[in-house]
């Protein structure tokens, strides 16, 4: 027991001494730290950590002779450890003895045997000193000894990247792909980091991929990597040609092309996505991917329809025809989420509210449908009843969903829609009661919407009880929800004119910008948004306006420099915005595409 107690006391004393020495080191008081670290080292010369800390202190204090003596002594204790040679070389290098340093480094390099553990140990020791040149030599020597030119590709890529050698870094990454094709996604991520928005680096990587294809044209991974490269450059047409060429050469069923179509549709590249889906459809209905391609095409056409302001009648006609053909060929989709998209198109774009309601009621009444699907359909039905001014029918449906999904996101969504319905009707007190709970929703979108509406009501229910501006604004909001954009715009203009001191001014501008953009009046929409940014830059809607401006310039006007400017403004001026993450992603992608073009 006494022995254990003594050991414990000794350990505690050593820890205190080490902490004190490290404190001196942090304060750059190396001469005070050295005696303590020497004593700890003398007590345990085989402890590698004690040796390393003592050596570091000697080197930082420029006591190179003492450091050399220490390492030479350690070379006798650790005769088989090649890292001691590297330590000695480092001492000489820091002392300005370059030739002697190179001799030691070369001796360490000769210790590379081909054994993985040994190779990694030596390379890591060089890399730890920042000597990337010799770390690279270590891996290359191991490749020669093992007669395998693809070994240690990941490690070499990292080292070449640190050295700014894009060509060799990308080449090493592709070596990894040669032996580990399942690493394709990781290689893409690594290449993206390596390129880092630099058009010269992008061109170098592109050239490397083309060299790989030339040397191994039958390998599909190089072609897929090239497709990915086209996408990074914003050349979606080139990517489409490449991905379909792979499909043809390998005699595939279109799965790769379908995945490509889905990915670029999600990025808003609808024209090329539609070509990808049509490529699969043209293969014939007997193909495995045919049905999914039909669905992808419909969803992409709907996304296009939503983007074009005002509504494109020819596109709307095509969308409705595609829905008709799809439901005829696959009637089971009438009880799937696709029917909700169909109902939205009928109600919001075609003006056929009764058709939308009938479709949803049919889906709800169908046997063996999921409860959550019924819940979502009822929420949509409630919205479409509002379009027909059947407010009580709408609130009844929302309440049913609230009751059936009390602890679910669906229930929260139903409660928010009921709260907004109360706001439309001017029952602000009841709406606030619901919103106060919904602000704490686990669903970020519901929480943000509830917070905005709650703040809107709070800021515009003044002590003098003059609720007229807010009540009129709520009516204008309802008219906009009902697609009565002209009536809504007239009422909003009237509120702005007659209640010019109201806190609603920025909210009015935001709604009017939405209407203008819906009607295809982009210049007016932009003007409203810019007014929010300049006159109400400190208010809650300012970041929304900046993000919307960036989106309009990117998606509607295709003015990429302007879009980049506004994404940059959002990132710089509004770091706490809910749009910050998506803005960063879009900003980086646009910068990369601009550099490549």
């Amino acid at each position: 027991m006494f022995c254990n107690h003594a050991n414990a006391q000794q350990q505690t004393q050593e820890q205190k001494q080490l902490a004190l020495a490290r404190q001196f080191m942090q304060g750059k008081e190396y001469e005070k730290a050295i005696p303590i670290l020497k004593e700890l080292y003398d007590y345990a010369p085989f402890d590698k950590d004690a040796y390393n800390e003592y050596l570091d202190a000697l080197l930082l204090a420029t006591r190179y002779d003492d450091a050399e003596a220490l390492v030479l002594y350690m070379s006798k204790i650790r005769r088989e450890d090649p890292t001691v040679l590297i330590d000695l070389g480092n001492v000489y290098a820091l002392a300005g003895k370059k030739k002697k340093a190179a001799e030691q480094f070369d001796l360490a390099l000769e210790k590379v045997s081909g054994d993985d553990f040994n190779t990694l140990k030596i390379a890591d020791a060089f890399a730890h000193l920042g000597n990337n040149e010799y770390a690279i030599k270590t891996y290359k020597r191991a490749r020669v000894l093992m007669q395998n030119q693809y070994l240690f590709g990941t490690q070499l890529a990292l080292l070449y990247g640190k050295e700014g050698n894009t060509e060799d870094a990308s080449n090493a990454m592709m070596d990894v792909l040669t032996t580990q094709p399942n690493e394709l996604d990781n290689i893409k991520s690594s290449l993206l980091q390596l390129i880092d928005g630099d058009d010269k680096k992008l061109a170098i990587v592109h050239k490397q991929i083309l060299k790989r294809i030339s040397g191994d044209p039958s390998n599909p991974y190089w072609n897929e990597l090239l497709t990915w490269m086209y996408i990074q450059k914003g050349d979606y047409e080139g990517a489409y040609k490449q991905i379909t060429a792979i499909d043809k050469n390998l005699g595939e069923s279109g799965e790769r092309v379908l995945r490509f179509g889905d990915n670029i549709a999600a990025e808003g590249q609808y024209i090329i996505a539609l070509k990808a889906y049509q490529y699969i459809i043209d293969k014939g209905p007997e193909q495995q991917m045919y049905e999914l391609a039909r669905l992808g095409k419909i969803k992409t056409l709907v996304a296009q329809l939503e983007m074009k302001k005002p509504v494109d009648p020819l596109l709307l006609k095509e969308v409705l025809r595609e829905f008709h053909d799809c439901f005829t060929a696959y009637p089971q989709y009438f009880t799937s989420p696709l029917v909700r998209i169909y109902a939205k198109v009928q109600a919001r774009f075609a003006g056929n509210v009764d058709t939308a309601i009938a479709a949803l009621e049919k889906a709800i009444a169908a046997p063996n449908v999921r409860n959550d699907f019924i819940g979502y359909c009822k929420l949509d039905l409630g919205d479409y009843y509002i379009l027909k001014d059947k407010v009580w029918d709408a609130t009844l449906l929302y309440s049913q969903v609230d009751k059936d999904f009390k602890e679910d996101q669906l229930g929260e969504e139903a409660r928010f829609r009921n709260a907004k319905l109360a706001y439309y009707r001017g029952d602000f007190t009841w709406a606030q009661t619901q919103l106060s709970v919904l602000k704490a929703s686990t669903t970020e979108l519901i929480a943000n919407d509830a917070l905005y509406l709650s703040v809107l009501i709070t800021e515009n229910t003044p002590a003098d009880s003059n609720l007229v501006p807010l009540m009129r604004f709520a009516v204008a909001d309802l008219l906009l929800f009902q697609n009565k954009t002209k009536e809504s715009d007239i009422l909003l203009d009237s509120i702005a004119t007659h209640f010019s001191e109201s806190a609603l001014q920025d909210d009015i501008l935001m709604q009017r910008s939405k209407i203008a953009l819906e009607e295809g009046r982009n210049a007016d929409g932009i003007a409203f948004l810019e007014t929010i940014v300049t006159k109400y830059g400190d208010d809650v809607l300012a970041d929304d306006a900046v993000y919307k401006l960036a989106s309009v310039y990117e998606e509607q006007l295709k003015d990429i420099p302007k879009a980049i400017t506004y994404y940059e403004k959002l990132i710089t001026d509004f770091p706490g915005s809910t749009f910050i993450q998506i803005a960063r992603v879009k900003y980086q992608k646009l910068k990369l595409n601009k550099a490549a073009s």
Side-chain angles (χ1 to χ4, degrees):
M1 287 181 64
F2 175 77
C3 184
N4 288 341
H5 181 67
N7 286 340
Q9 279 189 322
Q10 177 67 31
Q11 257 187 342
T12 304
Q13 183 62 26
E14 287 174 11
Q15 288 170 352
K16 287 180 180 178
Q17 288 290 89
L18 183 59
L20 179 61
R22 286 173 175 171
Q23 189 176 333
F24 285 138
M25 290 293 290
Q26 286 177 354
K28 298 184 179 180
E29 296 179 274
Y30 307 126
E31 293 298 339
K32 291 182 179 180
I34 285 171
I36 302 171
L37 292 171
K38 183 180 186 307
E39 183 180 342
L40 292 170
Y41 163 75
D42 287 341
Y43 179 76
F46 292 98
D47 185 327
K48 198 168 182 180
D49 290 336
Y51 158 71
N52 286 333
E53 294 208 42
Y54 180 33
L55 177 60
D56 286 344
L58 291 172
L59 291 173
L60 287 167
T62 67
R63 289 171 57 169
Y64 300 125
D65 289 343
D66 291 335
E68 180 183 4
L70 172 64
V71 179
L72 286 171
Y73 176 71
M74 287 304 296
S75 67
K76 297 174 183 177
I77 296 175
R78 290 157 50 189
R79 294 177 183 275
E80 302 302 318
D81 188 349
T83 63
V84 179
L85 296 168
I86 297 170
D87 288 341
L88 187 57
N90 187 46
V91 172
Y92 291 144
L94 292 173
K97 301 174 182 179
K98 293 182 180 181
K99 186 176 179 181
K100 294 185 77 172
E103 287 173 358
Q104 296 301 314
F105 291 151
D106 288 338
L107 285 172
L109 201 59
E110 289 176 11
K111 299 290 184 181
V112 177
S113 62
D115 174 75
D116 282 4
F117 178 77
N118 173 265
T119 300
L120 289 167
K121 184 178 181 180
I122 295 171
D124 285 346
F126 279 126
H128 178 72
L129 298 176
N131 193 335
N132 295 328
E133 178 189 355
Y134 267 89
I136 290 168
K137 286 181 178 180
T138 301
Y139 289 125
K140 291 175 80 171
R141 176 172 168 77
R143 281 182 164 188
V144 172
L145 289 171
M146 296 301 291
Q147 297 181 351
N148 187 338
Q149 62 176 323
Y150 302 119
L151 283 175
F152 304 110
T154 302
Q155 291 86 349
L156 279 166
L158 183 63
L159 290 166
Y160 283 129
K162 286 180 179 178
E163 291 290 286
N165 187 339
T166 305
E167 183 173 342
D168 285 340
S170 58
N171 197 35
M173 288 180 199
M174 290 176 213
D175 284 346
V176 175
L177 190 58
T178 301
T179 55
Q180 302 174 64
N182 59 322
E183 288 291 305
L184 180 61
D185 288 339
N186 290 333
I187 298 301
K188 289 177 182 177
S189 299
S190 298
L191 285 172
L192 206 55
Q193 289 179 2
L194 177 68
I195 294 165
D196 194 29
D198 188 314
D199 57 329
K200 291 181 180 178
K201 291 181 179 179
L202 186 71
I204 291 169
V205 173
H206 189 189
K207 183 179 177 181
Q208 286 294 314
I209 297 171
L210 291 175
K211 280 177 68 176
R212 295 283 175 152
I213 292 173
S214 176
D216 186 12
S218 63
N219 189 330
Y221 296 106
W222 304 132
N223 288 289
E224 185 158 340
L225 204 55
L226 183 59
T227 302
W228 172 82
M229 179 58 64
Y230 279 126
I231 292 172
Q232 300 315 304
K233 294 170 67 176
D235 184 1
Y236 294 95
E237 181 68 39
Y240 166 75
K241 289 177 180 177
Q242 189 65 31
I243 204 77
T244 51
I246 298 171
D247 182 82
K248 289 173 184 175
N249 291 339
L250 297 179
E252 295 181 336
S253 61
E255 182 177 0
R256 195 188 303 265
V257 181
L258 180 73
R259 192 165 61 245
F260 166 76
D262 290 343
N263 289 338
I264 65 167
E267 292 186 20
Q269 300 297 326
Y270 302 130
I271 294 173
I272 304 298
L274 287 170
K275 287 181 72 171
Y277 294 131
Q278 194 61 49
Y279 169 85
I280 300 167
I281 292 167
D282 290 343
K283 283 174 170 279
E286 69 281 355
Q287 291 293 322
Q288 188 180 355
M289 298 296 125
Y290 178 84
E291 185 177 332
L292 291 174
R294 289 283 299 271
L295 294 176
K297 180 180 180 181
I298 289 175
K299 291 175 182 177
T300 304
L301 285 170
V302 171
Q304 258 192 329
L305 185 68
E306 291 175 330
M307 285 292 297
K308 291 196 174 183
K309 310 296 181 183
V311 174
D312 182 338
L314 291 176
L315 180 56
L316 175 60
K317 187 176 180 181
E318 183 183 0
V319 169
L320 292 175
R321 184 176 65 249
E322 285 290 336
F323 269 117
H324 176 269
D325 292 347
C326 183
F327 287 136
T328 301
Y330 309 104
Q332 68 270 25
Y333 283 113
F334 231 109
T335 53
S336 79
L338 189 66
V339 77
R340 294 181 57 216
I341 302 174
Y342 168 71
K344 181 181 179 180
V345 170
Q346 289 285 11
R348 295 282 182 189
F349 297 95
N352 300 325
V353 182
D354 289 336
T355 303
I357 290 172
L360 291 173
E361 287 178 340
K362 179 182 176 182
I364 290 170
N368 303 320
V369 290
R370 290 166 54 100
N371 284 337
D372 59 343
F373 172 69
I374 291 174
Y376 281 114
C377 285
K378 283 185 175 181
L379 289 181
D380 293 345
L381 264 179
D383 290 351
Y384 302 148
Y385 278 135
I386 293 174
L387 298 185
K388 292 177 69 65
D389 287 321
K390 293 184 176 182
V391 174
W392 292 111
D393 294 278
T395 196
L396 178 63
L397 281 166
Y398 295 153
S399 298
Q400 286 176 7
V401 178
D402 182 7
K403 181 182 177 182
D404 293 341
F405 299 91
K406 204 71 181 174
E407 306 301 324
D408 193 88
Q409 179 185 328
L410 257 171
E412 288 187 336
E413 183 63 46
R415 285 192 287 282
F416 177 71
R417 296 194 194 196
N418 247 337
K420 194 153 191 182
L421 201 52
Y423 152 76
Y424 287 149
R425 298 197 309 265
D427 190 350
F428 303 130
T429 304
W430 191 88
Q432 277 287 45
T433 303
Q434 302 300 307
L435 294 170
S436 63
V437 178
L438 289 166
K439 285 187 289 185
S441 169
T442 53
T443 306
E444 186 178 2
L445 185 60
I446 293 174
N448 289 339
D449 288 346
L451 178 62
Y452 166 71
L453 189 55
S454 178
V455 170
L456 177 73
I457 294 171
T458 301
E459 289 184 347
N460 294 283
T461 48
D464 61 6
S465 300
N466 182 13
L467 296 175
V468 174
L470 181 60
M471 293 182 76
R472 290 188 181 180
F473 183 82
V475 172
D477 213 351
L478 175 60
L479 289 170
L480 181 56
F481 182 83
Q482 293 175 321
N483 292 337
K484 299 174 182 177
T485 52
K486 288 183 180 177
E487 295 93 326
S488 178
D489 197 34
I490 291 169
L491 182 53
L492 288 166
D493 186 36
S494 170
I495 301 166
T497 303
H498 293 95
F499 301 94
S500 57
E501 301 303 315
S502 167
L504 285 165
Q505 293 301 319
D506 57 335
D507 300 280
I508 290 169
L509 287 165
M510 183 60 78
Q511 292 293 61
R512 295 197 73 188
S513 74
K514 185 177 179 180
I515 291 168
L517 294 170
E518 287 280 334
E519 294 179 347
R521 295 184 287 112
N522 292 326
D524 291 340
I526 288 170
F528 289 132
L529 292 168
E530 287 178 339
T531 304
I532 295 173
V533 177
T534 54
K535 289 188 67 175
Y536 306 99
D538 295 328
D539 286 353
V540 70
L541 291 178
D543 64 317
D544 296 59
V546 173
Y547 180 75
K548 189 65 183 174
L549 280 164
S551 299
V552 170
Y553 278 116
E554 179 191 2
E555 296 166 7
Q556 263 82 43
L557 303 181
K558 308 300 180 186
D559 188 338
I560 302 306
K562 279 269 193 179
I564 290 173
T565 299
Y566 278 109
Y567 283 130
E568 190 171 25
K569 181 176 178 62
L570 183 73
I571 294 164
T572 305
D573 297 355
F574 303 94
S577 171
T578 55
F579 301 107
I580 196 74
Q581 293 302 327
I582 190 169
R584 283 199 180 103
V585 172
K586 285 177 171 283
Y587 174 76
Q588 290 295 337
K589 189 166 185 63
L590 290 178
K591 287 277 284 185
L592 182 62
N593 289 348
K594 185 183 176 187
S597 57

